[in-house]
Amino acid sequence: MVSDVLKIGEKELNNRLFLGTGKFSANKYIPEVVRASGVQVVTVALRRVDPEYEEENIAAFVPRDCILMPNTSGARNAQEAVRIARLARAAGCGNWIKIEVIADNRYLLPDNEETVKATEILAGEDFVVLPYMSPDLAAAKKLVAAGAAAVMPLGAPIGSNRGLKTKELVRILINEISLPVIVDAGIGRPSEAAEAMEMGAAAVLVNTAIATAGEPVAMARAFSLAVEAGRLAYLAEPGEAVEYARASSPLTGFLRD
Amino acid sequence: MKVILNGKEEQVEAGTTVAGLVKLKGFNPDTVIVEFNNELVNQENWDVTVLKSGDRMEVLRFVGGG
Amino acid sequence: MSFYEVYEQFRGFDMESFFKRVTGAQVKKIITKNRLTEFDYLALLSPAAEKHLEEMAQRARRLTVQHFGRVMMLFTPLYLSNYCVNQCVYCGFQAKNRLERKKLTPDEVEKEARMIAATGLKHLLILTGESRRESSVAYIRACVEILKKYFTSINIEIYPLEEEEYAELIAAGVDGLTIYQEAYDEEIYDQLHPAGPKRNYRFRLETPERACRAGMRAVNVGALLGLHDWRSEAFFTGLHANYLQDTFPEVEVSISPPRIRPHLGGFQPKVKVSDKNLVQYMLAFRLYMPRGGITVSTREPVWLRDRLVKLGATRMSAGSCTAVGGRSVNEHDDGQFEISDERSVAEMARMLYRQGCQPVYKDWQMI
């Protein structure tokens, strides 16, 4: 069996489903979800503490052998993202960072330009940078040049569960970008995760669809199986849909040997 | 004297340390991260970091996120 | 990393063995793919693919119409000077050949320009031999200053320059570069160029990259078919075009597949390149780079050029003349090679319309 590990930074991953930990009805589901799906990369966020509420430390719910990937959610520009990243690392989170720079509260669409700036600064400080972005080839190329370890284009707006609305643009990134392309945001169903993987995505990141499902643990397992199915299908090289030539006069009949 | 904690003004007594303020506010010292004037302060240094007027403190923790 | 490093990766590749392993089933599958790898391209250049030319042609035709429309861009060459210090064994202008050496004066440039402009063409290709003394960058630039009054797009096919020199010509109004590696095989290249600056294989190979870095808008590359195994040369041309497109996404990349024509000096092509071979090359390239341009010159005869219109060509020359100032001044002089298709611009236009194709005289203007 040929090995199909996903290499990011110095880590080798066997599971191509990444898990977001927001929106769960209770943090106690998280370790069960991780166990059921086998995910190895888990995102968390950094927030101000409100002393009125007794809050649990989310990191305590994430199994030790997972890679914790803090995101810079809340950052509205590159400087804020950089600050959050440095804090997260200093707090003992490892050096993986998901850059999320959003200055749009209606759709939560990322700001590609600020994301590129943040990537450049943080990659220069030895972070393993996974930037969340709007699928745009020119921006993706800049992220590669800036030192990103992967690119994470959105499938649809965060939380929308609308699936791979950006399919054609993501396909272009998969074709043209040499880094792993990880579809992040908007995936609502396991079939959509499979779709992304069949196209050649390196991995998918799912949060809302699992966290808000009636049975998060079962849904996590479904997603994990779907990601695996999609990946196997991609590796098995499905035949392309054949274009049947319309009846038309031959173009090369005039050639003789 | 006045300091800024998580974006809000707070009145504290002179000589209060970071550790003191954390305890006063009821934060759980095991789960929070403290940024003091834009720099992270490790828990072992909270006792020896004394607040001055106008200092800014952010008390943060990891939460669920996508 | 320059293209030379890409070339080195494939230099020792055993194409013979690869070709033996290509099956008809694989070829059929490749023809339906949306994005071909370089090995898919090579498979389409293989002998096994010859039985599938019609399928390749149908797909290539659809791709050409989709990406370029039912149009053909027309242009013409203007030879400014045939002074040359190189001794390329296959070229009519090489230093050892006895012919009248000439270069156009500003007045003659103006006269040629007026005659060409009267045909309606707006895209011009200017050529010189390699002589920094006779056709210096300053001379070429002075010609460009005159020509840009008449033409909205000027493409240069001259000797390799340094990046700053390209920048200078671009500032003067040049927007396209044509440069043929002649032979991508480094050993063969060495044998074909016994003397002169053109002996420097790598400098020539990296020319399009220097031009692109200087801001050139379009580049056209290619090998001179007949000098070496055409499948190999076609493969490396495709690799080169693909590399340029990847490295300089903002540049318009195209290729030319010129076949050696009779010329002064009597060099005989080592390799026969049949019409079928030429068509296979064009079709394979179209499938490999759907947006890559293909330029077909008047080296090819009338009846073949007419059929190439529907086989992937996107630019064609018309009203051509390969002698210096051959339209206005030196009508009987030796040209660089013998022209096969002597049709005027108007005749070419009529032929194109008959095939449901619109001739385009002006595609672009720098403002």
Side-chain angles (χ1 to χ4, degrees):
Chain A
M1 249 286 270
V2 181
S3 156
D4 181 37
V5 286
L6 170 58
K7 221 176 168 287
I8 296 185
E10 295 300 310
K11 303 280 190 195
E12 290 189 347
L13 304 169
N14 291 307
N15 189 304
R16 291 168 181 270
L17 174 65
F18 292 12
L19 178 72
T21 55
K23 303 181 187 172
F24 277 86
S25 59
N27 284 341
K28 69 169 194 234
Y29 287 117
I30 291 172
E32 290 173 52
V33 159
V34 171
R35 232 185 337 265
S37 60
V39 297
Q40 297 174 282
V41 178
V42 176
T43 64
V44 294
L46 206 58
R47 284 289 179 279
R48 278 175 175 166
V49 181
D50 187 336
E52 311 294 312
Y53 298 102
E54 176 59 53
E55 292 285 358
E56 307 160 312
N57 177 14
I58 191 107
F61 290 88
V62 179
R64 292 239 157 270
D65 49 3
C66 285
I67 297 169
L68 218 50
M69 178 164 71
N71 66 32
T72 64
S73 67
R76 290 158 305 169
N77 58 47
Q79 272 314 115
E80 289 178 2
V82 167
R83 179 171 156 233
I84 295 172
R86 288 172 180 157
L87 273 174
R89 178 160 71 174
C93 229
N95 66 344
W96 279 45
I97 186 78
K98 167 177 162 178
I99 299 184
E100 195 180 300
V101 179
I102 293 172
D104 153 38
N105 272 316
R106 180 169 297 185
Y107 299 102
L108 301 179
L109 291 173
D111 183 328
N112 280 352
E113 204 178 314
E114 291 296 304
T115 302
V116 172
K117 288 186 199 154
T119 300
E120 194 156 20
I121 296 170
L122 294 172
E125 293 175 12
D126 272 325
F127 279 87
V128 174
V129 182
L130 285 79
Y132 169 61
M133 50 122 34
S134 213
D136 168 65
L137 182 59
K141 288 189 172 184
K142 288 177 185 159
L143 289 169
V144 174
V151 296
M152 304 217 289
L154 59 97
I158 293 171
S160 64
N161 282 1
R162 295 180 66 200
L164 265 189
K165 287 300 178 191
T166 59
K167 187 171 188 173
E168 287 313 311
L169 296 177
V170 170
R171 194 200 301 276
I172 289 172
L173 294 190
I174 291 169
N175 281 345
E176 300 297 331
I177 298 294
S178 50
L179 295 178
V181 175
I182 301 169
V183 177
D184 174 12
I187 294 183
R189 287 198 263 248
S191 54
E192 290 158 1
E195 193 185 351
M197 297 306 296
E198 268 173 37
M199 244 170 42
V204 300
L205 200 161
V206 179
N207 188 168
T208 305
I210 292 174
T212 63
E215 307 276 341
V217 177
M219 187 57 88
R221 183 162 149 73
F223 265 99
S224 182
L225 290 168
V227 166
E228 205 183 321
R231 179 68 183 167
L232 283 171
Y234 170 74
L235 293 174
E237 288 172 28
E240 295 277 338
V242 177
E243 282 182 55
Y244 288 96
R246 276 165 281 123
S248 63
S249 13
L251 296 167
T252 57
F254 67 95
L255 291 167
R256 273 177 294 282
D257 277 320
Chain B
M1 61 177 185
K2 263 203 303 253
V3 297
I4 302 177
L5 172 66
N6 280 0
K8 291 215 284 275
E9 275 183 13
E10 293 277 341
Q11 282 289 354
V12 296
E13 282 172 26
T16 308
T17 61
V18 167
L21 191 53
V22 168
K23 189 155 176 226
L24 185 71
K25 284 289 168 184
F27 295 130
N28 182 343
D30 293 322
T31 63
V32 301
I33 298 161
V34 175
E35 192 199 28
F36 183 69
N37 288 340
N38 289 331
E39 270 185 43
L40 195 101
V41 189
N42 286 323
Q43 199 174 359
E44 61 249 26
N45 294 325
W46 288 357
D47 262 336
V48 298
T49 310
V50 182
L51 301 171
K52 294 187 314 296
S53 177
D55 276 344
R56 282 204 308 282
M57 224 168 93
E58 293 277 349
V59 179
L60 311 159
R61 64 193 172 84
F62 287 108
V63 303
Chain C
M1 186 174 93
S2 83
F3 180 66
Y4 187 69
E5 275 113 341
V6 177
Y7 167 73
E8 284 193 300
Q9 282 171 35
F10 288 94
R11 190 215 293 259
F13 186 73
D14 187 353
M15 274 181 211
E16 285 306 306
S17 305
F18 178 89
F19 287 154
K20 286 201 187 79
R21 295 196 303 270
V22 177
T23 66
Q26 284 169 340
V27 171
K28 283 169 92 85
K29 184 166 170 203
I30 291 167
I31 292 172
T32 65
K33 278 178 83 165
N34 271 322
R35 204 166 182 315
L36 274 61
T37 66
E38 61 268 37
F39 293 107
D40 292 335
Y41 175 53
L42 187 57
L44 292 184
L45 292 170
S46 71
E50 282 176 26
K51 297 189 202 65
H52 302 272
L53 284 192
E54 186 57 32
E55 291 150 77
M56 283 169 66
Q58 295 289 340
R59 180 103 205 277
R61 171 86 186 127
R62 261 197 307 285
L63 285 171
T64 310
V65 169
Q66 252 177 273
H67 292 295
F68 292 89
R70 296 180 192 276
V71 297
M72 186 68 63
M73 223 274 285
L74 293 180
F75 71 100
T76 205
L78 171 60
Y79 282 74
L80 298 174
S81 159
N82 62 12
Y83 285 94
C84 194
V85 302
N86 290 313
Q87 292 179 21
C88 315
V89 304
Y90 50 80
C91 177
F93 286 169
Q94 70 131 309
K96 286 176 41 190
N97 283 347
R98 299 181 68 78
L99 68 149
E100 196 184 326
R101 301 290 173 170
K102 176 146 181 44
K103 89 181 185 212
L104 297 181
T105 65
D107 280 346
E108 288 169 333
V109 170
E110 190 105 32
K111 195 161 171 207
E112 288 277 316
R114 254 184 261 120
M115 289 185 70
I116 296 171
T119 65
L121 291 177
K122 292 286 185 194
H123 284 242
L124 187 69
L125 173 67
I126 56 178
L127 304 95
T128 69
E130 178 149 13
S131 167
R132 277 192 177 268
R133 195 177 65 188
E134 298 295 344
S135 45
S136 62
V137 174
Y139 167 77
I140 294 168
R141 185 170 159 188
C143 294
V144 170
E145 299 285 352
I146 298 170
L147 292 166
K148 71 184 185 192
K149 295 184 296 188
Y150 296 88
F151 304 100
T152 59
S153 169
I154 298 176
N155 192 308
I156 50 175
E157 188 176 336
I158 60 176
Y159 49 95
L161 302 180
E162 300 290 354
E163 192 177 321
E164 320 81 70
E165 295 174 312
Y166 284 123
E168 192 188 321
L169 289 180
I170 289 166
V174 167
D175 58 83
L177 170 80
T178 294
I179 183 137
Y180 300 143
Q181 191 59 20
E182 319 290 7
Y184 279 91
D185 183 294
E186 201 169 354
E187 276 155 35
I188 302 284
Y189 182 93
D190 194 69
Q191 293 161 24
L192 295 168
H193 303 98
K198 197 163 169 178
R199 266 186 75 69
N200 190 334
Y201 174 90
R202 189 165 177 173
F203 187 70
R204 189 177 185 85
L205 191 72
E206 292 172 348
T207 299
E209 301 165 45
R210 288 194 302 280
C212 288
R213 281 196 295 274
M216 196 65 77
R217 225 188 127 255
V219 288
N220 187 40
V221 296
L224 184 53
L225 300 173
L227 296 176
H228 181 52
D229 168 38
W230 74 268
R231 295 179 209 269
S232 169
E233 292 293 304
F235 177 62
F236 282 103
T237 304
L239 281 183
H240 199 183
N242 185 59
Y243 165 84
L244 289 168
Q245 191 69 96
D246 271 350
T247 315
F248 305 101
E250 69 282 8
V251 170
E252 224 174 82
V253 175
S254 59
I255 65 153
S256 288
R259 292 192 286 180
I260 292 184
R261 289 280 304 152
H263 57 271
L264 203 63
F267 170 84
Q268 289 307 319
K270 301 207 153 63
V271 170
K272 275 189 70 65
V273 185
S274 68
D275 300 337
K276 197 173 193 177
N277 298 150
L278 176 67
V279 168
Q280 184 176 1
Y281 176 12
M282 288 173 63
L283 299 179
F285 179 75
R286 170 59 63 241
L287 266 52
Y288 179 48
M289 287 189 69
R291 284 195 197 274
I294 300 178
T295 306
V296 177
S297 74
T298 53
R299 289 167 183 270
E300 301 303 335
V302 169
W303 67 271
L304 181 58
R305 290 230 298 174
D306 286 2
R307 283 162 178 78
L308 294 180
V309 169
K310 291 209 165 86
L311 290 171
T314 59
R315 288 193 332 155
M316 285 187 159
S317 47
S320 292
C321 177
T322 65
V324 174
R327 289 173 183 85
S328 59
V329 189
N330 307 309
E331 281 164 23
H332 301 291
D333 273 7
D334 292 305
Q336 188 187 23
F337 59 82
E338 267 179 41
I339 289 172
S340 258
D341 182 343
E342 295 181 318
R343 283 180 291 187
S344 66
V345 172
E347 287 169 311
M348 283 297 288
R350 275 197 291 278
M351 177 277 285
L352 289 166
Y353 279 122
R354 273 199 301 274
Q355 294 208 49
C357 183
Q358 186 187 171
V360 169
Y361 301 97
K362 177 174 164 179
D363 191 35
W364 159 256
Q365 169 155 30
M366 184 89 82
I367 54 172

